[in-house]
RNA sequence: GUGGGCGUAGCUCAAUGGUAGAGCACCGGACUGUGGCUCCGGUGGUUGUGGGUUCGAAUCCCAUCGCCCACCCCA
């Protein structure tokens, strides 16, 4: 095999496209219902956009980005996540207009590139469906984004989604909390794993995220961020819960949800599903009230979610969700012998011009082979043209479901098929 | 990046050192101009690749590539 697809990437085969379409169309439909508008941004951006928004010290930026230089010496990076490019466009294209209080609601479907080691549910190119709501601090918007996500999961046929929520506070309470966290861990730091010892200096919040039993045990003694939130953040988190409660949305509060992107403030949440293996997160997001300003725009709060489409597809498969069978459609032109070929070929063109899906057998095989093919390919009708039909100026129309056949005069063929 | 498992026909898998097979799919026939059911027959493999051990390797050893799973991280 001379060429292979790059590691961690996938070809979406014709047989798989239907479920992709079903999921993508459902997402677009749900977004339209919640009044989010589609935004398409480039597949690559200035490297600096991701570095400064996601955070220099995150795994995504420090080891997973596909970064390259163009001929002008600019450093560019393949889309490593969805929020930063959306925020960039929000600012650059002035999507908010003059009304700086206006809520701008955007959605996207996009490939995302990260160079991890592939495994179940993890790819180097995956696809995310996401929404971003920019311009409101209202906790009802946090809940709306969560509600939209859950509606999407339900409408693609996924039951059993678990919602985990947390608040990571604002820069003020977060800084104060980080100090307390470090203090509580400090005297046992030498017992922790090398990663955590590094995190202690570079990104202490991530200490809470470590999966090692020893580290978990040590951090379990640490204060919860939820106890350290400032009044504003605590109130916002309470209000998010009140809004979720009002919608009857079940959730678990999990103070260990930190998320791997540095721009999050206040609300952070994650959707998981038990049908998946180790990579059980099927979506995640949160609030990022400082990001727009940090990227050079006017101070603007925001909240959003990213949903992994491959994982959604995996869950659907595990749950046995099936897409509707495609109905039989189209007309297959069966020609018998040389004299019927060109008339059949003309009919094929005529059918297509009239809007029918239509096909023919370029192998000139037996009628048996042609009908078998038409059956396998899901045609609704076969039109048989042989010596008899040509002589009589008719065509034989066979209904591929019932097997009924009728002789139809050539001039009336199209109207007969339409009826 | 670290560790483990697995690579045999288009697909799912047999064959444990001695002639590479089955089911499904595909093609043809029974049915000379009629698909689906049944029966019969057929096409299809440099056993991922390279090297080694052996009289003999799909099988054992080494290397390499690929895939899968876990760690890590995330969607």
């Amino acid at each position: 095999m001379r060429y292979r697809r790059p590691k961690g990437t996938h070809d979406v085969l014709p047989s798989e496209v239907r479920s992709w379409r079903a999921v993508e169309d459902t997402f677009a439909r749900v977004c339209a219902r919640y009044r989010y508008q589609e935004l398409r941004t480039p597949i690559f951006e200035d490297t600096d956009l991701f570095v400064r928004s996601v955070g220099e010290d995150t795994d995504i930026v420090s080891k997973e980005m596909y970064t390259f230089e163009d001929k002008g010496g600019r450093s560019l990076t393949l889309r490593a996540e969805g929020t930063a490019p959306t925020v960039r466009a929000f600012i650059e294209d002035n999507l908010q207009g003059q009304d700086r209080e206006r809520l701008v609601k955007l959605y996207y479907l996009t490939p995302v590139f990260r160079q991890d080691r592939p495994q179940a549910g993890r790819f180097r190119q995956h696809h995310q469906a996401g929404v971003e709501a920019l311009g409101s601090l209202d906790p009802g918007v946090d809940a709306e984004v969560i509600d939209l996500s859950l509606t999407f999961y339900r409408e693609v046929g996924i039951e059993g989604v678990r919602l985990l929520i947390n608040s990571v506070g604002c820069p003020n309470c977060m800084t104060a909390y980080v100090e307390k966290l470090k203090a509580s861990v400090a005297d046992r730091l030498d017992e922790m794993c090398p990663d955590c010892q590094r995190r202690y200096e570079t990104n202490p919040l991530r200490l809470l995220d470590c999966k090692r039993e020893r580290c978990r045990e040590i951090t379990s003694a640490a204060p919860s961020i939820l106890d350290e939130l400032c009044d504003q953040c605590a109130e916002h988190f309470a209000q998010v819960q009140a809004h979720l409660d009002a919608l009857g949305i079940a959730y678990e509060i999990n103070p260990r949800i930190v998320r791997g992107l540095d721009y999050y403030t206040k609300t952070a949440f994650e959707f998981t599903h038990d049908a998946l293996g180790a990579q059980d997160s099927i979506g995640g997001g949160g609030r990022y009230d400082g990001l727009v300003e940090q990227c050079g725009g006017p101070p603007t709060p925001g909240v959003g979610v990213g949903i992994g489409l491959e994982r959604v597809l995996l869950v659907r498969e595990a749950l046995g969700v099936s897409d509707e069978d495609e109905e039989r459609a189209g007309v297959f032109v069966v020609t018998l012998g040389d004299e019927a070929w060109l008339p059949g070929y003309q009919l094929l063109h005529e059918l297509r011009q009239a809007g029918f899906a239509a096909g023919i057998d370029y192998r000139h095989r037996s009628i048996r082979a042609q009908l078998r093919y038409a059956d396998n390919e899901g045609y609704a009708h076969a039109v048989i043209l042989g010596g008899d039909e040509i002589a009589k100026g008719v065509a034989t129309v066979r209904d591929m479901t019932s097997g009924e056949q009728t002789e139809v005069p050539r001039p009336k063929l199209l109207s007969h098929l339409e009826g």
Side-chain angles (χ1 to χ4, degrees):
Chain A
M1 197 85 61
R2 188 96 170 76
Y3 297 111
R4 298 171 187 276
R5 66 181 93 89
K7 184 194 275 286
T9 64
H10 285 281
D11 300 316
V12 179
L13 304 178
S15 58
E16 300 162 334
V17 164
R18 187 191 328 212
S19 28
W20 276 89
R21 280 273 176 89
V23 166
E24 291 163 352
D25 291 350
T26 301
F27 185 73
R29 203 177 61 233
V30 170
C31 284
R33 205 184 306 155
Y34 282 75
R35 283 291 188 159
Y36 286 70
Q37 292 186 301
E38 184 174 8
L39 172 72
R40 302 189 186 196
T41 61
I43 205 76
F44 52 80
E45 297 275 355
D46 278 346
T47 299
D48 205 41
L49 173 66
F50 295 113
V51 173
R52 293 196 24 210
S53 60
V54 174
E56 207 157 351
D57 191 52
T58 59
D59 282 14
I60 291 179
V61 167
S62 65
K63 50 191 191 198
E64 295 173 2
M65 296 204 302
Y66 280 95
T67 297
F68 60 98
E69 262 191 22
D70 72 4
K71 289 182 179 169
R74 288 170 281 260
S75 180
L76 301 171
T77 293
L78 258 32
R79 213 155 206 249
E81 60 106 39
T83 301
T86 305
V87 164
R88 193 226 79 229
F90 171 84
I91 299 166
E92 181 174 359
D93 302 316
N94 189 23
L95 295 177
Q96 199 170 31
Q98 294 294 86
D99 179 2
R100 278 199 281 161
E101 304 281 294
R102 194 167 86 88
L103 179 58
V104 177
K105 307 207 292 183
L106 302 165
Y107 82 86
Y108 53 80
L109 286 153
T110 180
V112 171
F113 304 86
R114 288 178 207 165
Q115 192 164 351
D116 321 19
R117 182 89 166 245
Q119 69 176 83
R122 192 167 75 189
F123 314 100
R124 290 186 170 182
Q125 175 177 349
H126 74 277
H127 296 77
Q128 284 192 23
V131 307
E132 311 290 348
L134 294 141
S136 174
L137 273 166
D138 196 281
V141 182
D142 304 45
E144 175 177 291
V145 167
I146 290 171
D147 176 42
L148 178 154
S149 307
L150 288 168
T151 302
F152 165 71
Y153 293 133
R154 191 174 62 245
E155 296 200 7
V156 294
I158 295 179
E159 304 285 335
V161 175
R162 180 177 304 164
L163 167 60
L164 308 171
I165 63 172
N166 188 27
S167 174
V168 296
C170 61
N172 290 333
C173 41
M174 210 190 295
T175 317
Y177 173 69
V178 163
E179 288 316 309
K180 290 200 176 188
L181 176 61
K182 289 174 75 169
S184 94
V185 165
D187 55 331
R188 297 181 69 186
L189 185 60
D190 52 338
E191 298 174 43
M192 301 186 82
C193 70
D195 283 338
C196 280
Q197 299 193 14
R198 182 177 47 78
R199 290 181 188 123
Y200 179 84
E201 297 300 337
T202 58
N203 199 345
L205 263 193
R206 300 221 62 92
L207 290 171
L208 298 174
D209 224 21
C210 189
K211 308 266 189 319
R212 285 170 216 275
E213 206 175 317
R214 187 102 187 116
C215 299
R216 290 194 85 107
E217 187 242 312
I218 293 169
T219 54
S220 66
S224 164
I225 187 160
L226 294 176
D227 297 329
E228 307 296 328
L229 295 177
C230 66
D231 292 349
Q232 264 191 339
C233 289
E235 173 61 14
H236 185 270
F237 192 45
Q239 280 300 315
V240 170
Q241 293 173 57
H243 281 78
L244 293 174
D245 292 340
L247 301 184
I249 292 172
Y251 52 87
E252 292 167 36
I253 296 172
N254 185 335
R256 303 188 84 103
I257 300 285
V258 169
R259 317 240 359 109
L261 301 94
D262 285 351
Y263 51 64
Y264 285 116
T265 59
K266 299 197 179 85
T267 315
F269 59 88
E270 206 166 297
F271 302 101
T272 65
H273 200 286
D274 289 342
L276 261 28
Q279 310 301 322
D280 65 351
S281 169
I282 56 173
R287 180 164 277 284
Y288 43 85
D289 290 340
L291 183 57
V292 175
E293 187 173 15
Q294 190 190 324
C295 290
T300 310
V303 56
V305 64
I307 294 170
L309 294 186
E310 280 82 358
R311 291 188 188 167
V312 165
L313 262 347
L314 285 170
V315 172
R316 289 176 99 232
E317 206 173 327
L319 297 180
V321 176
S322 57
D323 300 294
E324 289 193 8
D325 283 343
E326 212 161 289
E327 282 183 25
R328 284 189 172 273
V331 181
F332 191 79
V333 178
V334 176
T335 67
L336 303 172
D338 291 346
E339 59 180 329
W341 176 252
L342 281 179
Y345 193 68
Q346 289 175 318
L347 173 59
L348 174 70
H349 181 256
E350 205 181 313
L351 286 163
R352 288 168 170 171
Q353 295 307 305
F356 289 96
I360 200 166
D361 178 27
Y362 287 103
R363 286 187 284 180
H364 306 264
R365 289 179 300 176
S366 69
I367 184 170
R368 174 200 307 286
Q370 293 191 51
L371 283 172
R372 184 172 53 226
Y373 181 80
D375 185 33
N376 286 343
E377 295 291 306
Y379 283 92
H381 297 278
V383 172
I384 301 168
L385 278 182
D388 300 350
E389 285 83 0
I390 302 282
K392 288 161 73 177
V394 300
T396 299
V397 176
R398 181 177 179 85
D399 183 309
M400 292 303 288
T401 307
S402 66
E404 274 171 40
Q405 295 196 169
T406 34
E407 268 194 4
V408 181
R410 235 341 286 270
K412 294 190 176 167
L413 186 56
L414 289 191
S415 57
H416 180 270
L417 285 167
E418 271 155 9

